[in-house]
Amino acid sequence: MSHILYVEDDLALGFVTKDNLEMARYTVTHCTTGSDAWAAFSRSLGSAARFDLCILDVMLPQTDGFTVARQIRAADEHVPILFLSALADKQDRLTGLRTGADDYLTKPFSIEELLLKISVFLKRSQRVEPACSRTAGIRAIGSYLFDANNLTLHRQGHTQTLTDREAAVLAYLLDRPNALVRRDELLRAIWGDDDYFMGRSLDVFISRLRKRLHDDASLRIENHHGVGFRLITP
């Protein structure tokens, strides 16, 4: 069973959500403070009890969720991070995504939606491909080698590990090199919808990808304002 780190200081909400996750056959470690969450994640590194996904509240005692997300992302570039917070302001959502999180849900939330998002993230991050398929999935982007299956971007002896969403956006653009990809098309393909907040999330992920590709001047992601994006390749 997949192991989830769930961080929520509201004991009633935490009990109900944890109970629903366990009924869905997930193993759940529930922490009520940010410092306890980071301690639990740190202990899991390199062990058989490593976490497969992290669900974080933002307003937590001792250490806030944004700080915990940065700590987790610095230690593990791969594990999916999902914020589940009452903070619904646009800036809070963008701050959460800039910490390296993969998604941001606001309270009150639907258990069904939460379970669906968890299922999608786990299927993507835990998929196991045959060796030949993994090799076939390695593609050149300028001076980089992009392995979509293993979520890595390699250049001159340095390997970056992408988040699932970063890899999905990059792969979609790479399938359409030098072509204008419309925002609504990209959002529906990766996020499943194209509402305002998902559009702002997409902008954050494009910004993160530009930083990933920064060392090769022949590569760039053009922004066609209000229309879409174009991945320029040699």
Side-chain angles (χ1 to χ4, degrees):
M1 292 189 291
S2 296
H3 190 189
I4 295 175
L5 174 63
Y6 174 48
V7 192
E8 171 59 65
D9 64 324
D10 183 317
L11 295 181
L13 175 61
F15 175 81
V16 171
T17 305
K18 180 175 184 286
D19 191 50
N20 275 276
L21 293 177
E22 290 177 337
M23 284 194 295
R25 301 189 61 78
Y26 295 116
T27 299
V28 181
T29 295
H30 177 209
C31 297
T32 57
T33 70
S35 57
D36 284 349
W38 172 239
F41 190 86
S42 298
R43 288 193 300 270
S44 76
L45 294 172
S47 74
R50 195 179 184 100
F51 291 106
D52 299 297
L53 182 140
C54 302
I55 302 173
L56 310 178
D57 190 10
V58 175
M59 296 183 291
L60 295 168
Q62 301 176 13
T63 306
D64 67 85
F66 292 147
T67 300
V68 176
R70 292 187 188 99
Q71 292 172 321
I72 290 173
R73 186 56 73 223
D76 187 331
E77 294 183 306
H78 175 70
V79 63
I81 300 174
L82 171 64
F83 276 110
L84 200 57
S85 174
L87 297 179
D89 183 76
K90 176 181 73 175
Q91 191 56 48
D92 293 316
R93 288 172 177 255
L94 294 178
T95 298
L97 294 169
R98 288 179 181 128
T99 65
D102 295 278
D103 211 338
Y104 192 112
L105 280 180
T106 56
K107 301 174 184 175
F109 60 92
S110 158
I111 285 291
E112 290 78 11
E113 182 181 9
L114 176 61
L115 290 172
L116 178 60
K117 285 185 177 290
I118 290 171
S119 176
V120 169
F121 280 126
L122 291 177
K123 283 178 181 177
R124 288 177 177 173
S125 64
Q126 295 178 345
R127 61 182 177 268
V128 178
E129 306 282 349
C132 59
S133 175
R134 289 199 299 270
T135 302
I138 299 175
R139 306 163 67 182
I141 312 178
S143 59
Y144 293 91
L145 289 177
F146 172 46
D147 186 341
N149 294 323
N150 291 310
L151 307 180
T152 58
L153 194 61
H154 182 81
R155 181 179 184 269
Q156 297 180 357
H158 176 65
T159 299
Q160 302 178 67
T161 302
L162 310 182
T163 67
D164 183 75
R165 280 276 164 88
E166 288 174 342
V169 173
L170 182 57
Y172 198 88
L173 293 175
L174 185 57
D175 285 340
R176 300 153 182 83
N178 302 303
L180 178 61
V181 178
R182 298 186 63 86
R183 292 176 64 88
D184 56 353
E185 172 192 345
L186 188 51
L187 284 166
R188 281 193 289 267
I190 307 299
W191 275 264
D193 203 346
D194 63 346
D195 72 12
Y196 174 79
F197 285 112
M198 289 179 182
R200 300 302 296 152
S201 299
L202 171 59
D203 292 335
V204 172
F205 281 94
I206 291 291
S207 177
R208 281 159 56 171
L209 286 174
R210 286 185 176 124
K211 293 178 181 178
R212 298 282 196 186
L213 301 171
H214 179 264
D215 290 331
D216 188 337
S218 71
L219 297 172
R220 67 184 187 276
I221 301 176
E222 291 182 344
N223 178 23
H224 292 254
H225 185 68
V227 180
F229 303 94
R230 191 191 308 268
L231 174 62
I232 304 298
T233 62

